[in-house]
Amino acid sequence: MIGAGYVGLTSAAILADLGNTVWAVRKDIETIEIIKRGEAPFYEPGLAEIIKRNIEAGRLIPTIEYKEAVPPAEVVFICVGTPSLPNGEADLSQVFAAAEEIAQNLNGYKVIVDKSTVPVGTAEKVKEIIRKNLPENISFDMASCPEFLREGQAISDMLNPDRVVIGAETERAKSLLLKLHEPLSGERVVTDIKTAELIKYASNAFLATKISFINEVARLCETVEADVEDVARGMGLDKRIGRSFLKAGVGWGGSCFPKDTRALCFIANDSGHTFPLLKAVIEVNNEQRRRFVQKLKAAIGPLQDKIITVLGLAFKANTDDVRESASLEIIKLLLSEGAKIQAFDPMAGKNAQMALKEVSGVVFCQDAMSACQDAHAVAILTEWEEFKNLDWPVVKKVLKQPIVVDGRNLLDPESIRAKGFLYFSIGRP
Ligand code: UDX
């Protein structure tokens, strides 16, 4: 497994737990030392235990060396980052660098699989790079196995996927990958490589579309005084629509949706199709952040010198990941209007502090209650269960004014209002 980030390390640990010997490669000695100690270098529920037992059993072998990891393997997964370039295109430099080093260490037939989310046609380019860098004439097959796991529930998503997508060119590669994935549940979609590559982008873009759609409906609910939670339930019970990814809020963030929607727009543009629908999905998402700030202003007036409590910094609950988090984007908008921020997140405080190190005006607090001290309003921006269960009567005492603007529709409007709060949420009367 080349790459030991959220997807790479989770996949490596689970494949090891299923009885395979897995080398996890990352050129960062500090991260490798953490994994060697049987720990997880980031927060993902349940992952550290799986890493620990497989390190102890010798099935999971972390290393910085391709020359240790590649020769004994039958399957080599490329699972490195594909961040956005400034123009929205996926930056494939880490994928191509991995391909070069895999080639230099190839000692016999292997299947080389793209697990990173990569634009259609990337496997062909990787194949070319490997061919050029092979020390001798060794045969290999390329394949694509996109991963659909969600942070925060990565273990169960990987063990119980709805589908396993295998894009491959030869029967040999297909059967090796089918065998490797045998213990996992879910339907098999065996197809060509380009189709597999597109399945991943299309899936993420569609899920982002569902969220932007319900956020647009939420805006409408606010003008006609309807309740978006009931609209979503009423829609979602139709099996053709489905309940999931219809939660209105401050919009989608994270390490995948933002970069993958941008990359799919770029791929479409590049092939002469502008994909207007996807562009609108992205714009609705950007607007959702600005609307939250408007909502807060409507509740408390101009933000200059106001203290705002931000509850939640992670891009969603149950992760410490703050990449493209709506919360951080909203914090920047609030600061630009002169507000002061007191922020708390149960897991993501450290990462947020690092991400905002250039920014002044944010105090990172050790708990929710200190973040609420003397504030003019509370903004809920990540749906941590812990915030639902706060001692709200005590929160009310420490606040300057009892105002809550809930960007995740986390609280029950009736019960929080009964506690004496002025409460605003997304798309609910
Ligand atoms: C996503 C995909 O779900 C996963 O299949 C893919 O492999 C990687 O990208 P992830 O980024 O971990 O997973 O998080 P996800 O649970 O999909 O949430 C993405 C964003 O959408 C979060 O910011 C979340 O808060 C937001 N969201 C999700 C909503 O606003 N409403 C919803 O109904 C669902």
Side-chain angles (χ1 to χ4, degrees):
M1 190 72 63
I2 311 297
Y6 280 93
V7 176
L9 184 54
T10 307
S11 306
I14 287 183
L15 286 172
D17 214 36
L18 294 172
N20 303 287
T21 307
V22 184
W23 287 262
V25 184
R26 184 161 164 161
K27 296 220 153 187
D28 161 14
I29 188 72
E30 267 175 50
T31 307
I32 290 301
E33 288 303 326
I34 295 173
I35 306 169
K36 275 188 179 162
R37 290 201 299 271
E39 295 165 18
F42 47 82
Y43 174 70
E44 178 61 43
L47 181 60
E49 290 87 324
I50 301 179
I51 292 176
K52 188 164 189 292
R53 76 170 167 261
N54 286 284
I55 291 279
E56 282 166 1
R59 283 188 301 262
L60 179 61
I61 308 165
T63 176
I64 54 164
E65 300 286 1
Y66 281 62
K67 65 173 185 282
E68 185 187 344
V70 174
E74 290 169 88
V75 182
V76 181
F77 286 98
I78 300 178
C79 207
V80 294
T82 53
S84 283
L85 288 168
N87 63 356
E89 188 181 1
D91 177 356
L92 296 175
S93 54
Q94 294 181 54
V95 174
F96 295 155
E100 245 177 69
E101 258 195 273
I102 291 168
Q104 288 154 4
N105 290 283
L106 225 56
N107 61 338
Y109 175 83
K110 297 177 202 307
V111 181
I112 296 160
V113 190
D114 264 330
K115 207 172 191 42
S116 302
T117 303
V118 290
V120 180
T122 301
E124 270 177 15
K125 293 183 186 161
V126 169
K127 192 174 183 177
E128 217 22 66
I129 292 173
I130 295 178
R131 267 212 196 106
K132 276 193 194 141
N133 287 279
L134 277 178
E136 54 189 294
N137 192 14
I138 298 166
S139 78
F140 69 95
D141 277 317
M142 278 306 300
S144 164
C145 280
E147 178 54 59
F148 300 94
L149 59 80
R150 285 163 295 179
E151 290 178 23
Q153 50 206 89
I155 312 284
S156 64
D157 276 0
M158 208 197 146
L159 284 170
N160 311 295
D162 291 335
R163 76 300 208 188
V164 173
V165 175
I166 295 175
E169 299 167 314
T170 66
E171 287 309 315
R172 190 175 181 187
K174 276 178 203 165
S175 62
L176 194 55
L177 291 173
L178 281 168
K179 187 156 177 277
L180 181 66
H181 289 92
E182 215 166 52
L184 305 182
S185 57
E187 277 201 31
R188 271 48 179 162
V189 181
V190 181
T191 182
D192 62 89
I193 294 179
K194 285 186 178 171
T195 306
E197 289 171 337
L198 193 53
I199 287 172
K200 173 70 197 238
Y201 276 114
S203 302
N204 275 355
F206 187 75
L207 292 171
T209 303
K210 274 187 99 174
I211 304 168
S212 281
F213 185 88
I214 201 66
N215 282 335
E216 278 271 44
V217 172
R219 291 178 198 174
L220 193 56
C221 285
E222 288 173 11
T223 48
V224 302
E225 296 190 359
D227 185 332
V228 73
E229 296 290 316
D230 286 348
V231 174
R233 181 158 176 266
M235 285 169 64
L237 285 169
D238 183 330
K239 288 194 186 65
R240 294 169 302 174
I241 297 172
R243 292 284 300 269
S244 56
F245 284 72
L246 286 181
K247 182 81 185 166
V250 282
W252 36 271
S255 64
C256 290
F257 286 0
K259 107 179 146 54
D260 292 349
T261 46
R262 283 194 294 264
L264 189 54
C265 269
F266 189 90
I267 295 166
N269 267 331
D270 216 32
S271 58
H273 169 59
T274 53
F275 216 147
L277 177 61
L278 192 55
K279 284 188 179 148
V281 165
I282 295 171
E283 184 41 39
V284 168
N285 200 53
N286 294 336
E287 180 62 18
Q288 205 63 6
R289 274 86 153 134
R290 299 192 284 268
R291 285 179 64 93
F292 182 84
V293 175
Q294 293 307 325
K295 204 181 269 286
L296 193 62
K297 269 161 72 176
I300 65 169
L303 297 176
Q304 188 64 43
D305 295 326
K306 295 268 168 58
I307 300 174
I308 310 297
T309 302
V310 166
L311 293 184
L313 295 158
F315 80 95
K316 64 173 187 179
N318 300 319
T319 178
D320 62 358
D321 197 342
V322 296
R323 284 176 286 176
E324 305 216 27
S325 162
S327 175
L328 299 201
E329 288 169 33
I330 287 169
I331 285 176
K332 286 182 197 154
L333 293 175
L334 296 174
L335 290 171
S336 72
E337 304 231 1
K340 298 191 170 94
I341 308 295
Q342 295 177 172
F344 170 71
D345 187 286
M347 283 293 162
K350 230 196 212 158
N351 285 342
Q353 209 162 347
M354 245 147 58
L356 295 176
K357 65 176 185 296
E358 317 269 289
V359 171
S360 60
V362 186
V363 176
F364 293 92
C365 302
Q366 291 308 310
D367 54 66
M369 213 50 87
S370 7
C372 292
Q373 199 69 46
D374 295 324
H376 295 87
V378 176
I380 301 179
L381 295 177
T382 311
E383 68 284 20
W384 287 99
E385 205 54 27
E386 160 172 350
F387 300 150
K388 211 188 252 179
N389 303 324
L390 280 183
D391 192 341
W392 286 99
V394 178
V395 171
K396 185 165 176 258
K397 278 189 197 140
V398 304
L399 286 173
K400 230 177 216 133
Q401 44 191 38
I403 297 177
V404 176
V405 187
D406 182 353
R408 295 290 187 167
N409 288 356
L410 183 70
L411 305 182
D412 174 54
E414 261 179 51
S415 77
I416 190 81
R417 285 187 185 126
K419 293 185 178 83
F421 282 88
L422 262 178
Y423 175 76
F424 306 90
S425 56
I426 309 285
R428 296 193 288 186

